[in-house]
Amino acid sequence: MDLPDNETRDHILQVAEKLFASRGYAAVKLRDIADAVGMKHASLYYYMPGGKEQLFIRVFEYSFERHQRGVIQTIKDAGPGIRDQLYAVAYWFLTQPAMSLDRMQQGDRPKISEEEVQRLSLLAYDALRMPIVEALRRAQQTDELDLEDFDLAAMALISLIQSVRSIPGTNKQSRQEIAHQLVDMLLYGWVTR
């Protein structure tokens, strides 16, 4: 059973996403989510009759659907050049809440079936990767790029941008500058040609 589709549901998912991301699945109680949303604990079951596990799964889906829509729109808004598109993608990832896919997929998650874990992992992988892969393919069709493995290039970009958050002593502006340098490094390489 899916959650009712309305603004309250979206608010619950947004709040739960932030709490799960910052504190982890095990540390978040349904009462914490209800309190943060401003509703009674029992009322939360109207929106998630399957409890915390159902909410976690739906938050995971919601989060990566939102990321996919955001990256697609970001690329579209950036214009036709691949460099500007990748700069915009980097900015998108840096301005979104940090993602800990390893923690969500491996350690701190509900006891869900391995099949469901695989489905969610594939959803996350596709949601993050596919908009970038499509941008890279379009750039190759216009002779801006010459790539052999679009998937690897997209995941390399995502991994590098996500790692920028871990650099000590960086603020928002310096993280963006570093992200631009990483995009340029991927686009132009290290070797003199």
Side-chain angles (χ1 to χ4, degrees):
M1 178 176 190
D2 202 10
L3 300 177
D5 188 19
N6 63 31
E7 288 180 30
T8 302
R9 181 218 54 179
D10 289 346
H11 185 58
I12 291 167
L13 292 172
Q14 291 165 4
V15 167
E17 178 183 16
K18 287 178 184 170
L19 289 173
F20 286 141
S22 66
R23 294 171 35 194
Y25 178 79
V28 175
K29 307 293 180 229
L30 286 179
R31 186 167 307 283
D32 299 332
I33 296 167
D35 290 346
V37 171
M39 68 174 26
K40 293 183 189 251
H41 178 236
S43 299
L44 204 52
Y45 283 96
Y46 170 75
Y47 293 93
M48 49 165 191
K52 187 168 124 176
E53 185 175 301
Q54 177 192 10
L55 180 59
F56 179 84
I57 291 168
R58 188 60 192 116
V59 162
F60 197 92
E61 293 167 340
Y62 174 83
S63 176
F64 288 101
E65 289 165 2
R66 182 180 55 77
H67 273 291
Q68 186 172 36
R69 285 189 312 272
V71 171
I72 288 169
Q73 189 62 49
T74 293
I75 290 169
K76 182 179 174 185
D77 292 346
I82 191 63
R83 185 178 190 216
D84 289 338
Q85 291 174 3
L86 296 182
Y87 278 6
V89 167
Y91 183 76
W92 165 265
F93 280 111
L94 289 174
T95 59
Q96 298 305 302
M99 294 180 291
S100 178
L101 289 176
D102 289 340
R103 187 175 82 187
M104 291 176 80
Q105 293 173 342
Q106 304 296 325
D108 188 27
R109 62 178 167 83
K111 292 181 176 151
I112 55 178
S113 71
E114 192 56 38
E115 182 179 291
E116 186 72 356
V117 170
Q118 291 302 317
R119 184 186 73 79
L120 294 173
S121 296
L122 186 58
L123 172 70
Y125 180 68
D126 285 346
L128 297 175
R129 173 185 59 93
M130 288 310 297
I132 300 168
V133 165
E134 292 305 316
L136 295 172
R137 282 192 175 125
R138 285 190 301 274
Q140 183 144 319
Q141 290 170 350
T142 61
D143 291 328
E144 281 186 270
L145 296 176
D146 183 19
L147 287 174
E148 291 181 26
D149 192 331
F150 298 106
D151 293 321
L152 183 60
M155 292 312 295
L157 174 69
I158 292 166
S159 296
L160 285 171
I161 299 308
Q162 290 291 72
S163 72
V164 170
R165 294 176 192 272
S166 301
I167 300 172
T170 58
N171 60 29
K172 183 178 177 182
Q173 182 178 353
S174 63
R175 284 192 299 267
Q176 187 174 353
E177 291 168 1
I178 293 167
H180 286 186
Q181 291 173 4
L182 292 171
V183 166
D184 288 343
M185 183 179 66
L186 287 173
L187 283 174
Y188 306 120
W190 294 351
V191 178
T192 305
R193 298 173 204 259

